[in-house]
Amino acid sequence: MENLVQISHVNKRYGRTTALNDVSLTIPAGRIIGLIGPNGSGKTTRLRAMSGLISYDGNISVMDIEPKTRRPQLMAYTGVIHDIPVLPPWMTIRQTILFTEGMKPEFDREKCQRFLDKTAIKPESKVKHLSKGMKTQLHLALVLATDTRLLILDEPTHGLDILFRKELYSHVLEDYFDTHKSVIISTHQVEEVEHILSDVVFIREGKVVLFESMEALKSRYFQVIVSEDKADNIRKMCPVSERRFFGKTVFLMENRNKSELSKYGEVTSPSISDIFVVIMGGQT
Amino acid sequence: MKLFLVLLKREWWEWKNTIFWVAGIYTFILLMLLVPVSRLSHHINPDSVKIEFDRSFTGGSDNQTYGQDSYEDWDSSEPSVKAVMVYAGGVTSGILLLQFLLLFIGLFYFADSLYNERMDFSTLFVRSQPVSDHTVIISKIAGGVLGIMGVSLVMSLVFLLFTNGVIWILRPKIGEFAMNVVDKIRLFDLYGDMVVFQFITLIWLSPFILFLMWISASVRKRPLIIGLGAPALAALSLYILFGNTDMIRQIFLTTATIKDMLVEQLLVSSKWMTLPEKVELFDSFLGYLATPRTGVSIVAASGFYALALFAYRKNIPVS
């Protein structure tokens, strides 16, 4: 499988703060990667380094292009949506479309229009008169109508209501993604993206703590819900975490046999947020 | 090149309303001035305008010369001379008003050019397009220069039409001598000169323009006040601390020289009474262009361009 992004021993410091700490990562094509970490963990810095917006030490190659030195070339094949509205507020919707069409030769105006027809956005409106959700819809329409190979979403649902959130990710999945393209989504709201992710990267204090495919993660971690009388049996198996839930005890298990666990209680797949809390919190 | 043109179009979209407003207000003011001019013209008594000018023509109308060679030889008590002087004063004032408006637009434009993008975060949108930072900054400079020159030309045309309107109104009243002088000043022929001199003015002002862009790319608030205040403060500090007036003189010199050049654009400087038959456009152009000042301006502007580019790359807004 072709590698879309290769990050090798990348470091970035802001004064005394280390934003990226010897990061190495390889992202193949045809994947949807969730970059998950608490606030200040270095998610945005990583995405900005990959977009060529900031300088860094080490090597990054995105589609064989070094972002730091060749950002314009990279942006011809890359779409980026930030956690804040970035479309010029004084522009009309029509102008944003004309501007993007002029900038990106692969832009498909009809596709963009079809997307916007499903929304309440009017072509003569100004961007500043749109709600935050509408601004994101517009930006998404502009990005999805461009045949880019990499889509970078930096907390794209920040400040949006649940309807917009669901809609955004379903558009990404249905209108953009295929086996030749990759999507990198940065978020700290794990639960809203886990159903679409193919891989997950956990980041803490600028370091990659975990990088696994969702399949590997689901076969590695199990959640077993047991009654109090059987809890000690599970405790002997060294669970990763333990919590009380409606009179029962929920254990998170790592690298255990599923059939063996099912003797003591109901075995389910844990949510990414459960695994995230355990790994990032260092709980046992 | 295509991307550059798209960025220029973007500048036009952003600033066209300002341009239309300024041009509209300027035209409106001029049109309103026609009313008192027209009313005042009724009070001029044609009998009081004596034509005492010695019409010593040496040839046909194209080769006319005037008896007086310099401004000092003229009798300013003559009503016809007064009319010409009022006319010259009007033209000069109009040009200065025009240049003041352009300076006003220019200062706002360059001080806000990179600042606004950072404040509304749209710089992140621009940087997600396949254009280099150089192209973005150069498009801003080109947008400003073309915008200022474009507005200048359109508003100059309006002004010249206004001037000719005033002459048309006053023609029966101001006497033959005055009309001869006025007719000699071929305002529309000098229109091309104005473009050339605007260009030189912009070269000389380029260090300040790029300085403003550097400020625009760097500061967190009030780029115009900082951009104007910093050099003034530096000049004042030099004077107070070291008694050095070089910088103050330099600021006034820049303003004075540009004003002189602007006035010369329409040949209404103190030498205008000699009224040359032909405007030596390129002699004059090269005379201004081929000076150490042009070289120094370009070198200083390059330095500020590098600073603006560095600040533009470094100061990426954080949400």
Side-chain angles (χ1 to χ4, degrees):
Chain A
M1 193 181 288
E2 183 195 359
N3 287 328
L4 215 58
V5 180
Q6 285 181 302
I7 301 176
S8 173
H9 303 292
V10 169
N11 291 285
K12 173 72 184 173
R13 293 179 67 85
Y14 292 109
R16 290 182 180 179
T17 309
T18 302
L20 298 178
N21 188 357
D22 196 30
V23 173
S24 296
L25 204 63
T26 300
I27 299 174
R31 312 295 289 179
I32 301 180
I33 316 285
L35 217 56
I36 296 162
N39 290 330
S41 58
K43 301 188 296 294
T44 297
T45 303
R46 186 167 317 218
L47 294 183
R48 288 188 169 195
M50 283 169 54
S51 314
L53 285 175
I54 54 170
S55 61
Y56 49 81
D57 298 322
N59 294 312
I60 298 180
S61 168
V62 182
M63 291 175 278
D64 296 324
I65 295 170
E66 167 88 61
K68 193 165 51 173
T69 53
R70 294 174 63 207
R71 183 174 52 79
Q73 289 86 340
L74 175 64
M75 286 302 132
Y77 309 104
T78 307
V80 186
I81 294 184
H82 298 269
D83 58 342
I84 38 166
V86 298
L87 296 173
W90 51 266
M91 268 192 184
T92 64
I93 310 310
R94 197 185 300 283
Q95 285 169 346
T96 61
I97 293 171
L98 288 172
F99 182 77
T100 310
E101 188 176 37
M103 281 286 154
K104 299 205 172 180
E106 305 297 322
F107 181 76
D108 182 343
R109 192 201 286 213
E110 286 179 8
K111 189 176 177 184
C112 180
Q113 198 53 57
R114 281 199 302 275
F115 191 98
L116 291 177
D117 286 344
K118 296 175 199 165
T119 69
I121 298 170
K122 301 279 179 289
E124 290 312 319
S125 308
K126 286 198 168 181
V127 169
K128 65 182 170 192
H129 296 139
L130 302 180
S131 67
K132 190 173 181 201
M134 285 168 140
K135 285 175 190 167
T136 308
Q137 280 179 323
L138 172 61
H139 200 173
L140 192 68
L142 296 172
V143 168
L144 296 187
T146 309
D147 191 23
T148 54
R149 291 190 59 204
L150 178 64
L151 180 58
I152 295 174
L153 304 173
D154 184 8
E155 307 260 12
T157 57
H158 181 75
L160 299 185
D161 65 39
I162 188 72
L163 289 176
F164 277 124
R165 291 177 188 200
K166 294 251 178 211
E167 193 181 290
L168 186 139
Y169 289 121
S170 79
H171 279 306
V172 170
L173 212 54
E174 290 162 20
D175 300 330
Y176 176 78
F177 185 65
D178 67 31
T179 52
H180 301 290
K181 296 171 177 175
S182 280
V183 183
I184 302 175
I185 305 169
S186 144
T187 184
H188 59 266
Q189 290 168 312
V190 192
E191 64 287 348
E192 71 181 27
V193 289
E194 67 173 284
H195 63 288
I196 66 165
L197 297 181
S198 59
D199 300 81
V200 66
V201 181
F202 287 171
I203 304 166
R204 182 173 54 199
E205 293 170 1
K207 279 187 97 70
V208 173
V209 177
L210 177 137
F211 179 24
E212 292 254 20
S213 71
M214 288 296 280
E215 298 88 29
L217 212 59
K218 299 250 169 177
S219 62
R220 185 168 143 195
Y221 288 97
F222 293 107
Q223 189 171 255
V224 58
I225 304 164
V226 299
S227 54
E228 194 52 48
D229 57 315
K230 293 175 182 168
D232 281 342
N233 296 321
I234 299 295
R235 286 190 185 104
K236 285 174 192 164
M237 293 181 192
C238 303
V240 178
S241 74
E242 173 185 340
R243 63 189 163 92
R244 298 285 293 168
F245 185 71
F246 288 112
K248 294 198 168 186
T249 308
V250 182
F251 293 99
L252 187 69
M253 311 299 292
E254 185 180 4
N255 293 324
R256 290 287 168 186
N257 190 305
K258 188 178 176 182
S259 55
E260 186 189 347
L261 292 173
S262 60
K263 291 177 196 166
Y264 302 101
E266 185 189 354
V267 179
T268 60
S269 289
S271 68
I272 296 297
S273 51
D274 287 332
I275 300 171
F276 176 78
V277 167
V278 168
I279 291 176
M280 303 305 277
Q283 279 181 250
T284 54
Chain B
M1 189 62 188
K2 189 194 164 206
L3 299 181
F4 180 73
L5 293 176
V6 175
L7 287 171
L8 271 188
K9 195 190 282 182
R10 177 191 176 283
E11 293 302 306
W12 166 245
W13 286 335
E14 186 173 4
W15 288 91
K16 66 179 177 185
N17 286 345
T18 309
I19 288 171
F20 286 144
W21 269 104
V22 171
I25 289 169
Y26 185 72
T27 309
F28 179 76
I29 292 171
L30 291 184
L31 287 174
M32 288 298 101
L33 283 174
L34 276 178
V35 176
V37 167
S38 179
R39 291 178 72 86
L40 281 172
S41 71
H42 296 303
H43 300 290
I44 298 176
N45 181 3
D47 298 333
S48 72
V49 180
K50 294 174 187 170
I51 305 167
E52 294 182 354
F53 166 58
D54 175 17
R55 297 168 62 179
S56 58
F57 296 124
T58 58
S61 59
D62 285 340
N63 296 314
Q64 290 176 23
T65 57
Y66 294 93
Q68 292 89 344
D69 282 331
S70 68
Y71 176 80
E72 289 76 16
D73 295 337
W74 288 36
D75 179 0
S76 61
S77 64
E78 277 299 324
S80 54
V81 171
K82 273 185 183 169
V84 173
M85 289 173 73
V86 167
Y87 167 78
V91 170
T92 310
S93 308
I95 294 167
L96 289 177
L97 174 64
L98 182 63
Q99 297 302 329
F100 173 75
L101 281 170
L102 289 173
L103 185 67
F104 189 71
I105 300 173
L107 289 176
F108 267 95
Y109 175 84
F110 287 110
D112 283 347
S113 56
L114 299 171
Y115 175 80
N116 282 352
E117 267 194 10
R118 284 190 297 131
M119 291 304 111
D120 63 20
F121 298 101
S122 62
T123 187
L124 293 173
F125 178 60
V126 174
R127 288 172 211 238
S128 67
Q129 309 299 328
V131 282
S132 68
D133 297 337
H134 281 292
T135 313
V136 173
I137 293 180
I138 290 170
S139 77
K140 297 265 177 200
I141 298 169
V145 169
L146 291 175
I148 288 169
M149 290 185 75
V151 174
S152 166
L153 292 180
V154 171
M155 286 175 21
S156 301
L157 194 64
V158 169
F159 177 66
L160 295 183
L161 287 171
F162 166 80
T163 311
N164 278 264
V166 171
I167 293 168
W168 183 76
I169 290 169
L170 298 180
R171 182 175 280 271
K173 313 280 185 181
I174 62 172
E176 193 181 346
F177 169 74
M179 283 316 303
N180 270 327
V181 175
V182 168
D183 284 347
K184 266 295 195 180
I185 301 173
R186 294 173 190 164
L187 293 175
F188 288 96
D189 288 352
L190 296 169
Y191 203 57
D193 277 27
M194 206 157 151
V195 181
V196 172
F197 283 112
Q198 289 278 1
F199 178 70
I200 298 171
T201 308
L202 285 166
I203 289 179
W204 286 1
L205 282 177
S206 59
F208 185 60
I209 287 171
L210 271 301
F211 169 76
L212 274 183
M213 290 189 79
W214 173 43
I215 295 293
S216 184
S218 306
V219 299
R220 293 191 177 185
K221 50 185 161 182
R222 298 189 180 88
L224 185 59
I225 292 173
I226 295 172
L228 294 178
L233 199 65
L236 206 61
S237 303
L238 272 179
Y239 174 68
I240 293 169
L241 295 175
F242 306 105
N244 185 324
T245 57
D246 285 353
M247 198 164 170
I248 292 175
R249 278 196 293 118
Q250 192 58 41
I251 289 171
F252 281 105
L253 186 67
T254 303
T255 316
T257 313
I258 288 167
K259 179 185 146 291
D260 288 348
M261 195 172 67
L262 294 171
V263 170
E264 191 180 305
Q265 283 172 24
L266 293 180
L267 299 185
V268 288
S269 65
S270 60
K271 289 184 270 181
W272 70 284
M273 298 301 183
T274 58
L275 296 174
E277 288 301 318
K278 190 182 168 194
V279 179
E280 295 293 341
L281 177 66
F282 286 98
D283 275 4
S284 180
F285 173 61
L286 289 173
Y288 281 114
L289 194 62
T291 55
R293 181 175 187 167
T294 305
V296 170
S297 296
I298 291 171
V299 170
S302 306
F304 283 122
Y305 176 83
L307 288 170
L309 182 69
F310 177 76
Y312 178 74
R313 285 181 172 161
K314 186 168 170 277
N315 295 325
I316 296 169
V318 180
S319 58

